Amino acid sequence: MKTIIKTICLCSFLMLNSLYAQQKPSYKVIKEEKLSDKDHDKTMYKITFKEGKDGKLCQDPNGKWWVHFVIGKDKGPFSKEEALSELHRIAVEGGAAAGQVGAGVAGGLTKKKILVDKNGNKYYLDKQGKKVYVK
């Protein structure tokens, strides 16, 4: 009976430890700069992540945090950790989505199938079979 209880406690401890490890943020902020401009009554901050991606957060007078969008309305309210996580997700996924949109537009303009080489560069084949790279 004691071994069963010890096993259950050990399994519970390992599960909680694993759950805690999953909750650690996957991003690292290397620079947080308070900007002099304001968005209405919100204080603006420029956040730079380890990957070189950056974005802006706003903090309203009540202490709530918002992800700042240049076009459209801000997303929030969040706690600061939630806002940083959302900003990082948008910065990383947004860059990948922009590349996909660019390839789709190029494919629509050229009426060609867009291919990707081993370096991640997008191209299509012209009538002679030569690679034409797309920006």
Side-chain angles (χ1 to χ4, degrees):
M1 187 66 174
K2 288 183 180 181
T3 56
I4 292 173
I5 293 174
K6 287 180 183 179
T7 305
I8 291 173
C9 290
L10 179 63
C11 289
S12 298
F13 174 74
L14 291 175
M15 287 175 48
L16 287 173
N17 192 18
S18 173
L19 182 63
Y20 175 74
Q22 290 174 357
Q23 291 178 348
K24 290 182 181 177
S26 62
Y27 58 86
K28 181 169 176 135
V29 175
I30 59 170
K31 186 176 181 184
E32 181 176 327
E33 178 183 356
K34 185 175 181 179
L35 301 175
S36 61
D37 58 336
K38 287 191 168 206
D39 182 22
H40 301 288
D41 61 339
K42 298 176 186 171
T43 306
M44 302 284 291
Y45 295 89
K46 182 177 179 182
I47 308 296
T48 305
F49 295 102
K50 184 172 121 181
E51 298 90 3
K53 308 280 185 186
D54 62 355
K56 292 183 181 177
L57 292 180
C58 309
Q59 184 180 25
D60 64 17
N62 298 331
K64 297 290 184 180
W65 291 84
W66 302 74
V67 177
H68 179 72
F69 291 109
V70 177
I71 300 174
K73 67 183 219 180
D74 296 342
K75 187 173 183 180
F78 297 111
S79 67
K80 185 173 182 180
E81 292 78 24
E82 292 170 337
L84 285 169
S85 177
E86 184 67 14
L87 180 65
H88 183 261
R89 185 187 66 78
I90 290 169
V92 170
E93 291 178 5
Q100 293 170 355
V101 169
V105 169
L109 293 175
T110 61
K111 306 267 194 257
K112 305 284 183 186
K113 183 176 180 182
I114 301 297
L115 306 168
V116 179
D117 66 7
K118 64 182 178 181
N119 296 326
N121 301 317
K122 296 172 181 68
Y123 68 93
Y124 65 91
L125 299 175
D126 65 2
K127 291 181 182 178
Q128 288 82 23
K130 294 182 182 177
K131 292 180 182 179
V132 178
Y133 286 90
V134 178
K135 289 186 179 184

